[in-house]
Amino acid sequence: MILNNKVIVVTGGAGLLGKAFIKEILAHGGIAILTDIQTSLAQDFIDEIKVEYPDQFYAANMDITNKPSINSLIKDVSKRYGGIDCLVNNAYPKNKNYGKKIEDVSYEDFSENISTHVGGYFLTSQQFGIFFKNHKGGNIINIGSIYGTLAPRFELYKNTEMTVPVEYAAIKSSIIQLTKYFAQYFKKDNIRVNCLSPGGVLDNQPESFVRSYNSFCSKKGMLEPLDVANTLIFLLSDSSKFITGQNLIVDDGFSL
Ligand SMILES: NC(=O)c1ccc[n+]([C@@H]2O[C@H](COP(=O)([O-])OP(=O)(O)OC[C@H]3O[C@@H](n4cnc5c(N)ncnc54)[C@H](O)[C@@H]3O)[C@@H](O)[C@H]2O)c1
């Protein structure tokens, strides 16, 4: 069991990738803490997992943009399990106007989406970082995206409702640099910080889009949440204990 009772907090745990992360952490012997702004979004999943893993699983509301909410979660979990080993920054805050074409994005919406997403990842990293420093170390993994390093491939999104939001490029590139900053800052405190940048994940996208997307890939194309979770387990485990400050891209070659 590669995760050997490590206590791992996942933000945005009620979402598409979050649920797969929780399942894999549990399957590899970790203690998984599902946090979300609204855990009720995944109530059926939570009920099912609670029965399967009564001692290894806990779910609680936590808002990554709210310092008291983060600190009360840290206090609650560390008391319950005697410590915390890892934080997975995976939440995806967005306001109701997120994802418009560049001409239609207002300054206010741009700023709000950057502030909640980058600001939220900063705030959790800061608060968990302080906790880890006072408790002999820890491990932070930020979920980035290929669009943190790659120019948008707009042609893929033609004739679909989807796009690569301009905020997303700004957010995910910031998160890669934030990762390096925190990794450097906490290098001597036994805290490592890495970024995991997935390519597109299958989620009922139009077939024609998936086909075009896949033509850029090596063998599979768009990934399933489990494909990303497998790499997360490596970064959470001691197999990667000498890796810090890195951005690991998992995209079946899409960005090459
Ligand atoms: N799905 C993809 O194709 C893909 C690809 C690359 C990277 N990513 C990244 O992976 C991460 C997860 O993506 P997803 O597709 O699973 O998203 P999702 O929308 O399915 O889930 C995100 C979760 O975050 C929660 N959340 C939103 N605001 C929050 C806040 N303030 N505090 C706490 N939780 C909050 C939501 O309630 C939701 O449950 C994101 O960072 C995303 O950018 C996703």
Side-chain angles (χ1 to χ4, degrees), residues 160-219:
T160 77
E161 303 275 289
M162 303 179 290
T163 187
V164 182
V166 61
E167 302 93 320
Y168 200 59
I171 287 164
K172 291 306 190 186
S173 55
S174 298
I175 282 170
I176 293 167
Q177 194 59 19
L178 207 61
T179 300
K180 293 184 188 173
Y181 188 106
F182 273 84
Q184 184 76 304
Y185 191 82
F186 286 122
K187 193 159 78 176
K188 299 290 186 193
D189 298 307
N190 193 29
I191 298 171
R192 56 198 188 95
V193 188
N194 288 293
C195 185
L196 166 54
S197 287
V201 178
L202 283 166
D203 189 21
N204 295 315
Q205 290 91 347
E207 232 174 79
S208 58
F209 169 81
V210 175
R211 221 173 310 121
S212 322
Y213 181 103
N214 291 357
S215 69
F216 284 93
C217 298
S218 169
K219 22 185 191 300

Side-chain angles (χ1 to χ4, degrees), residues 196-244:
L196 166 54
S197 287
V201 178
L202 283 166
D203 189 21
N204 295 315
Q205 290 91 347
E207 232 174 79
S208 58
F209 169 81
V210 175
R211 221 173 310 121
S212 322
Y213 181 103
N214 291 357
S215 69
F216 284 93
C217 298
S218 169
K219 22 185 191 300
K220 176 159 184 172
M222 293 195 79
L223 303 176
E224 281 157 80
L226 177 64
D227 300 321
V228 182
N230 283 329
T231 306
L232 177 75
I233 299 302
F234 166 68
L235 287 175
L236 287 170
S237 76
D238 291 344
S239 303
S240 60
K241 70 178 167 193
F242 300 119
I243 299 179
T244 191

Side-chain angles (χ1 to χ4, degrees), residues 15-17 36-37 62-64 90 92 121 144 168 172 199 201:
L16 177 69
L17 285 176
D36 204 283
I37 197 169
M62 180 180 89
D63 178 355
I64 66 163
N90 164 72
Y92 195 168
Y121 279 45
Y168 200 59
K172 291 306 190 186
V201 178

Side-chain angles (χ1 to χ4, degrees), residues 2 5 23 44 66 80 91-92 117 134 145 152-153 159 165 168 180 205 249:
I2 192 172
N5 285 327
K23 269 193 167 171
D44 291 350
N66 182 304
R80 207 175 267 264
Y92 195 168
H117 199 145
N134 292 332
S145 160
R153 288 203 163 125
N159 308 321
Y168 200 59
K180 293 184 188 173
Q205 290 91 347
I249 295 175

Side-chain angles (χ1 to χ4, degrees), residues 95-162:
N95 76 8
K96 64 179 187 341
N97 292 323
Y98 180 78
K100 291 191 170 175
K101 261 177 60 195
I102 198 162
E103 291 85 345
D104 302 325
V105 177
S106 73
Y107 170 77
E108 288 73 19
D109 284 329
F110 182 84
S111 304
E112 187 181 343
N113 283 308
I114 298 226
S115 156
T116 52
H117 199 145
V118 180
Y121 279 45
F122 157 75
L123 191 59
T124 50
S125 299
Q126 180 196 47
Q127 296 306 306
F128 277 79
I130 294 167
F131 174 85
F132 289 152
K133 187 174 171 167
N134 292 332
H135 292 83
K136 300 199 181 76
N139 182 2
I140 299 174
I141 291 139
N142 294 318
I143 305 302
S145 160
I146 40 170
Y147 286 127
T149 49
L150 180 72
R153 288 203 163 125
F154 288 122
E155 69 273 21
L156 281 182
Y157 299 84
K158 265 190 192 152
N159 308 321
T160 77
E161 303 275 289
M162 303 179 290

